[in-house]
Amino acid sequence: MSFVQRLVTRRIFLGAAAGLLSALVCVAGAYVVGVVTIAVDVREFLPTLLASATVLPLMLFFVVLVPTLLIGFLTGVTIGASANYSSRVYFIGAAAGLLFGLVVLRGVLPLIIVPEPGDFTSIVTRPIWAGVYSLFLGLLTSRFFSWFR
């Protein structure tokens, strides 16, 4: 295996690791945003605590975790395969995150879990929220990739 092949393989693995790490950070951030949203909506401590300890983690685990890991992995591998260690990493990460996020959250997820009006999946599959979430995921993946080099 030549030096160039080892370097590209190393960058792809670093990109995949950065993507998976950023996916976990994004799910944790989604949990915090969910708790704050519940607290503002309900305005009571006990129901907020109950929803934060039971329903919200289960919903994030079953609905958001796997698509986010997939988006992060694909974005990281794309960054590792195509970006060098310059400022283009952020552009490639943002574009790849946005593309993969919209494909997975807007295209694939509704085929697996049919969104109902007012349901969590109908919120996740909205193009604006899917785009913002996956853009943040792509930029975070780019940042972790830059730190890992």
Side-chain angles (χ1 to χ4, degrees), residues 6-7 13 25 27 34-35 40 48 53 61 66 68-69 74-75 81 86 88 90 95 126 143 149:
R6 283 185 294 182
L7 182 66
F13 282 128
V25 170
V27 169
V35 169
V40 168
T48 301
F61 181 73
V66 173
T68 302
L69 287 172
L74 292 173
T75 302
S86 67
R88 289 188 308 161
Y90 293 104
R126 287 184 191 156
R143 185 64 192 158
R149 65 179 177 129

Side-chain angles (χ1 to χ4, degrees), residues 38-91:
I38 291 170
V40 168
D41 188 43
V42 174
R43 296 182 191 229
E44 291 185 34
F45 178 72
L46 196 55
T48 301
L49 182 65
L50 185 63
S52 301
T54 58
V55 176
L56 186 60
L58 289 174
M59 178 182 57
L60 289 176
F61 181 73
F62 287 117
V63 177
V64 176
L65 184 64
V66 173
T68 302
L69 287 172
L70 180 64
I71 296 165
F73 179 77
L74 292 173
T75 302
V77 168
T78 303
I79 291 170
S82 63
N84 57 7
Y85 298 122
S86 67
S87 63
R88 289 188 308 161
V89 168
Y90 293 104
F91 176 73

